[in-house]
Amino acid sequence: MFVLVNLKAYPCDPVAIAEAAADVAETTPATIAVAPQPADIGRVADTGATTYAQHVSPTEHGSHTGSVLAESVADNGAVGTLLNHSEHRRRLADIDGSVAAAERAGLDTVVCANNPAQVAAAAALGPDAVAVEPPALIGTGTPVSQADPDIVSDAVAAAEAVDPSVDVYCGAGITTGEDVVSAGDLGASGVLLASGVAKADDPRAALADLVAPL
Amino acid sequence: MFVLVNLKAYPCDPVAIAEAAADVAETTPATIAVAPQPADIGRVADTGATTYAQHVSPTEHGSHTGSVLAESVADNGAVGTLLNHSEHRRRLADIDGSVAAAERAGLDTVVCANNPAQVAAAAALGPDAVAVEPPALIGTGTPVSQADPDIVSDAVAAAEAVDPSVDVYCGAGITTGEDVVSAGDLGASGVLLASGVAKADDPRAALADLVAPL
Amino acid sequence: MFVLVNLKAYPCDPVAIAEAAADVAETTPATIAVAPQPADIGRVADTGATTYAQHVSPTEHGSHTGSVLAESVADNGAVGTLLNHSEHRRRLADIDGSVAAAERAGLDTVVCANNPAQVAAAAALGPDAVAVEPPALIGTGTPVSQADPDIVSDAVAAAEAVDPSVDVYCGAGITTGEDVVSAGDLGASGVLLASGVAKADDPRAALADLVAPL
Amino acid sequence: MFVLVNLKAYPCDPVAIAEAAADVAETTPATIAVAPQPADIGRVADTGATTYAQHVSPTEHGSHTGSVLAESVADNGAVGTLLNHSEHRRRLADIDGSVAAAERAGLDTVVCANNPAQVAAAAALGPDAVAVEPPALIGTGTPVSQADPDIVSDAVAAAEAVDPSVDVYCGAGITTGEDVVSAGDLGASGVLLASGVAKADDPRAALADLVAPL
């Protein structure tokens, strides 16, 4: 199971959360990754935590002021990247370009999408994984097992039909270890979560609870 | 065979070209469609020509100033729309939304893409057709049969693997009737072209030549 | 006083509203303009109503699929255009380009902005008018005279400081004739409104009420 | 005189260039700043070089995956940011928001624009500085003193008319110390350059030459 903690632009201590993630990761078969702000990638990676970017640009080296270059992200220690998160929707051609840029720099890719049709489209671009973010669950705290579980199993089926080598993650409705288990039961091999850890009083305890049943 | 003449923002007479298209369409088994500027849709449709929009927004009725509402386009006589043209790349989620908006308004949809992976992604969104626009051919006048013919047959295979009901059009490298035949031989059931007709001294003759071998 | 009725993407009859606008305009010294969907511009202009586009692209004639070409909008009868509406925010460079495109095609320009600093910035681009849309008033039905009237007088002062020849319109909080008078008292020489007319049971009566005190 | 070296997405060693900038800065009254990729901000700032971001998002703390949060950039050692570079054009409302975000985080702001009207618009948003990037000079190596010098003096006048407290920088056509002097003679109090240093065989020598005449 892959557990990615997206720190978004939250007012949190990215290094403390990364240290907790690195520690908890040693106690579980699950992989725990942290996706901080781009300027925090280096210090997050320095903790030993598996580090992801929240986005990389579709561009290569060159005159691209304001871009987030995949190579720069990788040089600072990231090993993967989210793409097309529901808060950062991208053009189809640019998702394709960003997947290529990430691959070129040796980064794993997780392309987000919000329904099975878009999941299939994302899978067709050849990323390592796609994440389905049911709009009805984003930021609600409603567990995926209770609201709209079909969207996860439909997403798994949709990605499988296009490219069986692409993993499917559940990108909303995850707060507890029980939710992680439910996502797995629905066919997901990973989960994305954010505020449940980043805004927790004790991020270490929150992470430990998440992976306890695994 | 489906032949779509994209008038882009060319300095042409959209009504004269539409009249020619309507006339030539009566002489051929091919469908000939014209995609004018949005404000010209009504007068182009009034000629009797099959009329397409160049784009429709992913929005429904509501507070969407500056949008191109699918219903409004249909009310003025359009029967289909291009989406995600290489000159108007859109977000994956918005292409999905625009396909849904077009369907709701009864418009056929042609989603453009510029390589087989993006063609497969576009096909996963359930449009009526996808159009592959090989970047090496756009605006060059190089016939598709001579440069990069594999991209068309690869696009046909990629779309077929995702959804066999989606037609594949060839969106670049078409100037002559011979090119239309070549595109058909590569598996395309339609072609998109632009300057070859819109900028021709005699658009009617250019259209007649295009469909002559069909 | 300039009164612009923005039809957005509302489910309304644009021709009926335009006919009402044309009729009511003959009874008042105010100018009444209607801004329909782009595909409706021709039939709205045919009623004799002063017709505006909701947006025009910054592009010239050429390969710009999906654009809204200023010349095409003008050819179909529009005499002006909104730009940068709060529902259709544009890049600074593109607003500049769209103002130039509109001028080239003989269209008047109204650039929207949502605070005095942005109004000053918009005025610096040399449009015919700027419209301040106080975010606190958009779509609320709260009259501008009661909530945040300073933003209108501040916007008037900000535009005046940059270019005294640019008119300032009030782009939110207008429902009644009294609101139009209030906007004028705050220094605005025009108003933008939308649902108050477009969604009215009797658009003609709504328009007549709006301009009655003028 | 303010000299900003924009590293864009160039294949360079950002730390080596920053070390050179920090060293050369001690030999000149000019301020020398370096704007690296976002993930490199921390290690560039650690050299002691004055460090700028290439862009910050208009957002506050919160759910903004993929953003470049001003606070995060500042926490990692940046003291300023470029905004709206010609390779990263932004919406007027977002430039306004990014200036506010940068101020909140204590970052100086340099808003780029490509003609005097846009410079005036940028100045109206209250940044610390605006940079005029004459399109005819970007990336050409043509010195500003030889091609289109009026655009710089016109930009200085345009910004002065809107807000005399806003500095004006010259954002293109700078390769040599002579060009820096020319920019100053035209009224600019700073310069932006990129490849002249970032792609130089000896960035330290290139920087030393640039500031030698100051």
Side-chain angles (χ1 to χ4, degrees), chain B residues 58-74:
Chain B
T59 44
E60 303 189 12
H61 276 119
S63 294
H64 306 296
T65 301
S67 62
V68 180
L69 183 70
E71 279 81 356
S72 170
V73 154

Side-chain angles (χ1 to χ4, degrees), chain C residues 34-61:
Chain C
V34 176
Q37 279 284 306
D40 292 326
I41 285 172
R43 9 185 227 151
V44 162
D46 285 347
T47 66
T50 300
T51 305
Y52 266 55
Q54 295 179 10
H55 168 69
V56 298
S57 300
T59 43
E60 304 190 11
H61 276 119

Side-chain angles (χ1 to χ4, degrees), chain A residues 161-176:
Chain A
V162 169
D163 183 347
S165 74
V166 174
D167 287 329
V168 180
Y169 301 160
C170 179
I174 306 292
T175 313
T176 68

Side-chain angles (χ1 to χ4, degrees), chain A residues 89-204:
Chain A
R89 290 290 185 226
R90 298 290 98 185
R91 295 176 180 174
L92 171 58
D94 287 342
I95 303 171
D96 188 32
S98 289
V99 167
E103 271 181 17
R104 204 181 55 215
L107 301 171
D108 285 340
T109 48
V110 181
V111 179
C112 302
N114 60 19
N115 62 32
Q118 289 177 39
V119 163
L125 302 175
D128 295 288
V130 294
V132 61
E133 305 173 294
L137 297 183
I138 294 177
T140 58
T142 309
V144 68
S145 58
Q146 287 176 26
D148 214 359
D150 285 355
I151 201 176
V152 177
S153 42
D154 289 353
V156 171
E160 170 90 15
V162 169
D163 183 347
S165 74
V166 174
D167 287 329
V168 180
Y169 301 160
C170 179
I174 306 292
T175 313
T176 68
E178 206 177 319
D179 299 334
V180 179
V181 172
S182 296
D185 291 346
L186 293 165
S189 56
V191 297
L192 272 56
L193 75 164
S195 56
V197 170
K199 293 185 164 177
D201 289 335
D202 184 344
R204 187 177 303 254

Side-chain angles (χ1 to χ4, degrees), chain C residues 161-189:
Chain C
V162 169
D163 183 347
S165 73
V166 174
D167 288 329
V168 180
Y169 301 161
C170 179
I174 306 292
T175 312
T176 66
E178 206 178 319
D179 298 333
V180 179
V181 171
S182 294
D185 291 345
L186 293 164
S189 56

